[in-house]
Amino acid sequence: MADRFRLTLAQWNPTMGDLAGNAALARRAWEQGRAAGSNLVALPEMFITGYNTQDLVMKPAFHSAAIAEIEALARDCTDGPALAIGGPAVDGGALYNAYYILQNGKIAARVFKHHLPNETVFDEKRIYASGDVTGPYALDGLRIGSPICEDSWYEDVAETLAETGAEVLLVPNGSPYYREKVSHRHQLMVARVVETGLPLVYLNLVGGQDDQVFDGGSFVLNPGGELALQMPLMQEATAHLDLIRTDEGWRAEKGELARIPQATEQDYHAMVLSLRDYLRKAGFSKVLLGLSGGIDSALVATVAADALGAENVRCVMLPSEYTSDASLQDAKALAENLGCRYDFVPIAQGREAITDTLAPLFDGTQPDVTEENIQSRLRGLLLMAISNKFGEMLLTTGNKSEVAVGYATIYGDMSGGYNPLKDMYKTRVFETCRWRNANHRDWMQGPGGAVIPQRIIDRPPSAELAPDQRDEDSLPPYEVLDGILDILVDQDGSIADCVTAGYDRADAKRVEHLLYISEYKRFQSAPGTRLSKRAFWLDRRYPIVNRWRDGD
C-alpha cells in the first residue's frame, strides 16, 4: 500500500465558453503533473465551461459539447496521473454540476453537486438537479471525497464521505470574491476538518467573469485546522502537494504560505484582475476613459494602467467653461505620471451647436439640469466616437455611491463597456487612492510611486457642470451618504435602522427615494467589478418601476 500521494493543484483561469481552450489548459496542467510525478491533477469546479455559466449551460448543444471535451480529455490523458475536472453532466435526463475523475482513458467516477446555491449571484436550483450524496472514489490506494463548493459549506456531505471511508477531502470551487470572503472560507473549512478529522484541500478558480472575480486563494488544512499550504490570491498558480500516510492517517506536507493582503489591497487587485480579464476575454486590448481631473476617473485610469499597461490606456480631457484650472492641471499630471496617452478635446464648439439646435424648442425656458446633462452626453458621444474609431473599450467611472442614487447622466458619463468602481463607495475610493499611492506590487503593470496627484484626493468632489458646483450641493456628505447606503443596500436595512444608527430621518428618506428612482439607470449601466455581497446586478434584483417606500 502506497504511503505517499502527490496531488497537483491547478489554480488556473478558464474562459467562459472556450471549451477547446479550457480543455487545452487542462491538458497542460496534466502534463505538468505528469512531469512532477503526480498521482492526480486537480482543476476547479466547472473548469471546462468557465464559471458562472448562468443559463448558457442549460443549452443542450453547449453542455453536450462540454461533455464531449471531457470525454476527449479522458482518452488523451492516459499515460500518467488521473485528472479531476469540473463540468456539466447529464444523467437520467437531468443536468448536474459535476466533478469528473478521469483515469486510464475513461471517466472513472463522477460526483454530482448536492447543495445548490440560490443566493447572491447564484441561482443553481433553476439550472441543475441536486445530486445524491455518494461515497469517495479511490485513486492509487487513497480514498478521496469531493464535496463540490457549496457542499463543503454544510456538515452533511463531508460527514457522509468520512463515514463511508474518505481519507482526504478535495473540494473543487468556483467561489467568487467579496470583501472578507477569504477568512470566511477558512473558518468554514476548519469546521469541516474538525468535524471529520480529515485533511482538506480547497481548490478555487481564479479570474474575472463579467462582474464576478474568482480570487483563487486555494489552501490545504491538516486535521486540527493547521494550515499546510496557502496559494496566492487573484493570481494563477500551480502547487504540487505531497500527502503522507501516518499512524494517525493521511497528512499534507507543509508547503508555501502565500501572503494574504489586507482588504483594500484585495479590492484593488480584484478591480485590476476583473478589468484585465473582461478585456482579454471579450477580445479587447486597449481602453479609453474621460479624465476629468476628479478622483474617480483618476482611480479608474490607474487601475487600467495596472491592468493593461499604460501604453494601452488613452485618457481624454473634454473641458467646458466650467472645468477648473486645477482639474486641467491635475488630469494632465496624472496621465503623465502613469505614462498614458493624453488627448485634449474641448467641447465648447459642439455644445454651442447643440444649444443653437435646441434654442427654438427651449425658447422661453430657464437653463436647468438639462443644459448640465447636455455637456455630459456630448462627452459620452465624443468618447464613444473615439472608441469606435480606434477599437478601444470605453471605461465608465461612477462609484457605488453615485450609481446608487443616480448621480450620473444616462447616455452621458454612464456610457462605457466596463466600470471597475461600480461596487466601491466614494469613501473607499479616497482610501484606495491613498493606498495605491503608497504601495506597488509586482502584479501591477503601471509605475510605482504617488501617481495620483495629492490635490485630486484633497479637493472637494465636483461634477463641474455649473459654476462653483460641488457634489454636496446635491447630495449629503459622502460619509453620511455611504453610511445610509450601507444600511439600505448592503445590510438590506430600513429607515428605522438608519435613524437608530444616528442618521437624520430626512436624509435617509431622501437617499431611499433616490435609490429606488435610479433603478432604471442601473438596469442600463455597464457591468463592473463585484466587491461585496450586495453589488448592483445579480446580487440585488429590484423592479425598475416601484412605488413602495419604507413608511418608518
Side-chain angles (χ1 to χ4, degrees):
M1 182 178 294
D3 292 324
R4 179 180 291 268
F5 187 98
R6 173 161 281 194
L7 173 61
T8 294
L9 302 175
Q11 179 181 288
W12 286 14
N13 186 349
T15 297
M16 177 62 64
D18 185 7
L19 303 178
N22 296 338
L25 289 176
R27 287 185 181 88
R28 192 185 312 163
W30 179 80
E31 288 166 358
Q32 289 184 13
R34 179 172 62 176
S38 293
N39 301 86
L40 172 65
V41 175
L43 291 152
E45 179 182 14
M46 293 298 287
F47 189 88
I48 197 67
T49 58
Y51 200 55
N52 178 0
T53 61
Q54 299 175 269
D55 289 4
L56 176 61
V57 76
M58 293 193 289
K59 192 175 185 67
F62 179 76
H63 63 240
S64 297
I67 293 167
E69 288 287 355
I70 291 174
E71 292 169 343
L73 277 173
R75 292 191 298 270
D76 294 347
C77 300
T78 55
D79 184 20
L83 177 65
I85 185 170
V90 176
D91 190 80
L95 181 66
Y96 294 91
N97 179 330
Y99 202 53
Y100 288 79
I101 313 303
L102 314 178
Q103 189 179 38
N104 298 326
K106 63 182 181 180
I107 297 171
R110 292 186 306 181
V111 178
F112 295 161
K113 193 172 184 177
H114 177 67
H115 289 289
L116 302 175
N118 214 56
E119 61 173 358
T120 63
V121 298
F122 296 107
D123 50 5
E124 291 200 356
K125 288 185 178 180
R126 62 183 291 272
I127 297 174
Y128 301 110
S130 172
D132 294 333
V133 180
T134 55
Y137 50 90
L139 291 173
D140 297 344
L142 178 63
R143 296 189 298 276
I144 303 172
S146 285
I148 301 173
C149 198
E150 191 83 357
D151 288 343
S152 68
W153 288 49
Y154 298 89
E155 300 175 4
D156 56 345
V157 177
E159 287 186 349
T160 299
L161 286 165
E163 290 167 358
T164 53
E167 297 169 292
V168 172
L169 297 176
L170 168 61
V171 184
N173 292 270
S175 179
Y177 173 78
Y178 58 75
R179 202 172 294 112
E180 309 301 338
K181 183 76 169 284
V182 175
S183 60
H184 188 41
R185 291 187 192 123
H186 277 244
Q187 291 167 6
L188 286 168
M189 295 309 107
V190 166
R192 300 294 87 82
V193 166
V194 170
E195 291 157 3
T196 63
L198 301 178
L200 183 146
V201 178
Y202 185 100
L203 175 61
N204 195 23
L205 279 174
V206 70
Q209 172 57 41
D210 296 343
D211 68 322
Q212 294 161 54
V213 182
F214 297 94
D215 52 327
S218 304
F219 59 92
V220 178
L221 298 171
N222 271 320
E226 180 190 10
L227 187 64
L229 174 72
Q230 176 65 62
M231 298 175 73
L233 290 178
M234 311 288 178
Q235 300 180 71
E236 285 193 308
T238 306
H240 305 295
L241 175 75
D242 286 321
L243 294 160
I244 309 298
R245 188 193 302 273
T246 72
D247 292 340
E248 291 79 32
W250 288 86
R251 299 292 184 268
E253 286 194 338
K254 200 72 174 281
E256 293 187 15
L257 301 180
R259 182 180 71 92
I260 301 297
Q262 46 91 357
T264 301
E265 180 173 345
Q266 289 183 34
D267 279 359
Y268 190 84
H269 202 168
M271 292 190 294
V272 168
L273 175 58
S274 68
L275 177 59
R276 180 185 298 149
D277 270 5
Y278 191 79
L279 271 290
R280 178 176 62 86
K281 294 176 180 181
F284 285 81
S285 59
K286 295 178 179 293
V287 297
L288 79 151
L289 69 147
L291 197 61
S292 68
I295 195 166
D296 297 321
S297 62
L299 183 55
V300 170
T302 307
V303 168
D306 283 337
L308 308 170
E311 68 278 9
N312 295 310
V313 180
R314 181 196 300 262
C315 297
V316 186
M317 164 54 89
L318 303 110
S320 74
E321 66 268 36
Y322 304 120
T323 304
S324 67
D325 289 340
S327 292
L328 295 173
Q329 295 163 10
D330 292 343
K332 186 174 182 181
L334 173 74
E336 290 174 347
N337 290 348
L338 292 173
C340 300
R341 173 168 178 156
Y342 178 74
D343 291 318
F344 188 80
V345 184
I347 67 169
Q349 188 174 1
R351 185 186 178 204
E352 182 178 355
I354 293 170
T355 301
D356 290 345
T357 301
L358 291 170
L361 287 173
F362 288 3
D363 185 41
T365 68
Q366 294 298 313
D368 56 18
V369 71
T370 304
E371 283 73 18
E372 293 183 22
N373 287 341
I374 285 172
Q375 299 170 65
S376 182
R377 292 189 173 113
L378 177 55
R379 289 179 172 124
L381 183 152
L382 296 172
L383 289 168
M384 281 305 305
I386 298 169
S387 173
N388 289 162
K389 181 62 70 175
F390 299 108
E392 301 164 351
M393 182 180 285
L394 175 60
L395 302 181
T396 184
T397 62
N399 59 70
K400 188 174 185 176
S401 310
E402 296 171 350
V403 170
V405 297
Y407 194 67
T409 305
I410 194 165
Y411 320 125
D413 58 340
M414 288 179 65
S415 298
Y418 202 74
N419 180 3
L421 302 188
K422 188 175 182 179
D423 197 29
M424 178 174 281
Y425 286 122
K426 185 79 167 191
T427 46
R428 284 192 181 269
V429 170
F430 286 100
E431 175 187 331
T432 304
C433 287
R434 295 186 187 98
W435 178 86
R436 175 56 178 85
N437 272 356
N439 295 275
H440 193 265
R441 301 288 184 256
D442 58 8
W443 44 263
M444 298 175 180
Q445 296 185 36
V451 292
I452 301 172
Q454 188 62 39
R455 187 165 59 175
I456 289 179
I457 300 173
D458 292 340
R459 274 196 301 143
S462 171
E464 294 193 329
L465 297 174
D468 300 319
Q469 190 177 43
R470 296 288 183 269
D471 289 3
E472 291 184 8
D473 298 337
S474 304
L475 300 171
Y478 279 112
E479 293 79 6
V480 173
L481 176 63
D482 290 357
I484 293 171
L485 287 171
D486 177 72
I487 293 170
L488 296 180
V489 177
D490 294 70
Q491 300 179 45
D492 214 10
S494 65
I495 297 297
D497 294 327
C498 295
V499 174
T500 300
Y503 296 104
D504 181 76
R505 185 179 186 279
D507 283 343
K509 288 293 291 182
R510 180 176 169 219
V511 170
E512 179 203 43
H513 176 69
L514 293 172
L515 177 66
Y516 286 151
I517 67 170
S518 301
E519 198 66 47
Y520 81 101
K521 289 187 179 182
R522 288 189 291 274
F523 189 78
Q524 300 178 64
S525 66
T529 312
R530 177 182 187 253
L531 302 173
S532 72
K533 292 182 69 175
R534 296 293 281 175
F536 291 123
W537 190 35
L538 295 178
D539 283 314
R540 185 182 181 277
R541 310 177 204 187
Y542 268 61
I544 295 172
V545 176
N546 165 31
R547 287 197 176 185
W548 182 85
R549 297 295 183 268
D550 188 347
D552 291 337

